[in-house]
């Protein structure tokens, strides 16, 4: 359930980042429903990348985290968003038969860092609301 909550949180954060930032976009999604499906798929890919690769990146980059007082996390998060963009750019043709163009495109590393900050904040808020444990 936590992975699905993170996927939804990431999708909402990605929607806001794509809406507000110039260097991030999703490929031709003509309708709102297709855009939502695309963002949910990209959100799931981002949740999987964060779950599988981020712990390894924390261990490998631990000295840089200590040296920069944790600010290196911004670089790691931006790199993971660029990795998600690279993975989902390959998915553009996958959903073409179903009429859904999947994917996310991020223009530069700076855009990825700013986008990851926005996605992280929005995702944390949404996951906090969805995945409440009483």
């Amino acid at each position: 359930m936590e992975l699905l909550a993170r996927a939804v949180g990431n999708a909402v954060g990605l929607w806001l980042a794509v809406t507000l930032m110039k260097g991030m976009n999703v490929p031709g999604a003509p309708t709102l429903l297709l855009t939502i499906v695309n963002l949910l798929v990209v959100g799931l890919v981002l949740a999987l990348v964060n779950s599988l690769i981020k712990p390894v990146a924390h261990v490998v980059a631990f000295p840089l985290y200590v040296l920069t007082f944790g600010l290196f996390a911004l670089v790691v998060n931006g790199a993971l968003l660029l990795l998600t963009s690279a993975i989902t750019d390959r998915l553009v043709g996958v959903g073409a038969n179903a009429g859904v163009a999947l994917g996310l495109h991020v223009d530069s590393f700076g855009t990825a860092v700013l986008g990851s900050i926005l996605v992280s904040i929005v995702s944390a808020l949404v996951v906090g609301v969805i995945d409440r444990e009483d």
Side-chain angles (χ1 to χ4, degrees):
M1 181 65 184
E2 184 179 341
L3 185 65
L4 291 176
R6 286 184 184 191
V8 171
N10 287 338
V12 173
L14 286 167
W15 169 78
L16 190 62
V18 166
T19 303
L20 295 179
M21 299 183 68
K22 235 177 193 178
M24 291 179 69
N25 58 22
V26 290
T31 66
L32 179 63
L33 181 63
L34 294 179
T35 303
I36 291 170
V37 169
N38 183 16
L39 288 174
L40 286 173
V41 169
V42 174
L44 181 62
V45 171
L46 181 59
L48 288 171
V49 165
N50 282 336
S51 296
L52 298 174
I53 298 174
K54 195 171 192 175
V56 175
H58 280 303
V59 171
V60 170
F62 180 73
L64 292 171
Y65 279 99
V66 172
L67 228 95
T68 62
F69 299 109
L71 289 176
F72 193 71
L74 297 174
V75 173
V76 170
N77 287 341
L80 292 176
L81 188 61
L82 272 178
L83 177 63
T84 302
S85 172
I87 291 170
T88 58
D89 275 346
R90 308 287 188 271
L91 293 176
V92 171
V94 172
N97 293 337
V100 180
L102 300 175
L104 169 72
H105 181 72
V106 180
D107 286 341
S108 67
F109 185 73
T111 303
V113 169
L114 292 175
S116 69
I117 292 170
L118 189 58
V119 170
S120 297
I121 292 170
V122 173
S123 178
L125 292 172
V126 171
V127 170
V129 169
I130 291 175
D131 200 26
R132 256 195 245 183
E133 306 224 358
D134 295 338

